[in-house]
Amino acid sequence: MSNQQTVLPETTIQLQKIFDPRGNLTVVQTGQDVPFEVKRVYWVYDVPSGESRGGHAHKQCKELLVATSGAFHVTLDDGKQQRTYLLNHPYQGLLIDRNTWRTIDDFSSGAVCLVLASELFDEGDYIREYNEFIHYVNHV
């Protein structure tokens, strides 16, 4: 194992899990559980076997990803280093900061990826080409 420190900060967070015999509950509250105001919520589901999602970065938008059902892998890339996370618990979230390339893949059958975003949709905030992303993060 290398002695070099990981550039990417630890970004997984444990969300509160409220146990109840009728079914468990997890809550996410702006300012307590997520470090930004949530302005947009969306979810990705029915991803065909072998397909991936993401494949982009945001200039301003931060996100929290949660596997509300099933499992999938998220690979984060800051332009220098990559780190892959397995999301498979609905009480665990992955924070993704701006200027971070993300790829989501290996979706299990029935997987649902819930995304809480800090910004409204803005196509101009997306970097969709990896080479453009590398150029951007090296000049920010």
Side-chain angles (χ1 to χ4, degrees):
M1 179 178 270
S2 169
N3 289 335
Q4 190 175 31
Q5 269 193 300
T6 301
V7 175
L8 294 167
E10 183 61 41
T11 54
T12 55
I13 59 172
Q14 293 300 114
L15 302 169
Q16 183 180 9
K17 181 177 180 182
I18 302 167
F19 294 93
D20 188 304
R22 302 168 296 161
N24 298 325
L25 173 72
T26 294
V27 177
V28 176
Q29 298 182 88
T30 296
Q32 288 183 331
D33 306 300
V34 61
F36 54 79
E37 179 185 353
V38 176
K39 294 184 180 175
R40 181 168 53 121
V41 177
Y42 62 95
W43 47 99
V44 178
Y45 56 97
D46 292 343
V47 178
S49 178
E51 291 295 324
S52 67
R53 297 293 308 224
H56 65 269
H58 291 284
K59 298 172 186 172
Q60 295 301 318
C61 188
K62 298 177 183 180
E63 295 180 329
L64 175 71
L65 276 61
V66 178
T68 57
S69 180
F72 47 86
H73 286 96
V74 182
T75 301
L76 301 183
D77 181 336
D78 66 358
K80 296 180 179 77
Q81 225 173 20
Q82 292 183 355
R83 186 163 182 188
T84 299
Y85 300 84
L86 171 63
L87 293 184
N88 60 352
H89 300 294
Y91 53 84
Q92 181 183 57
L94 180 65
L95 285 171
I96 303 178
D97 204 353
R98 63 189 74 162
N99 302 326
T100 304
W101 188 267
R102 81 283 322 269
T103 305
I104 311 167
D105 55 17
D106 296 329
F107 286 83
S108 69
S109 178
V112 178
C113 175
L114 174 70
V115 182
L116 308 178
S118 68
E119 305 298 324
L120 299 175
F121 176 81
D122 175 8
E123 183 61 38
D125 185 53
Y126 283 75
I127 304 172
R128 296 189 184 273
E129 297 295 328
Y130 187 76
N131 289 336
E132 181 184 335
F133 163 72
I134 293 299
H135 178 76
Y136 182 82
V137 296
N138 287 326
H139 293 89
V140 176

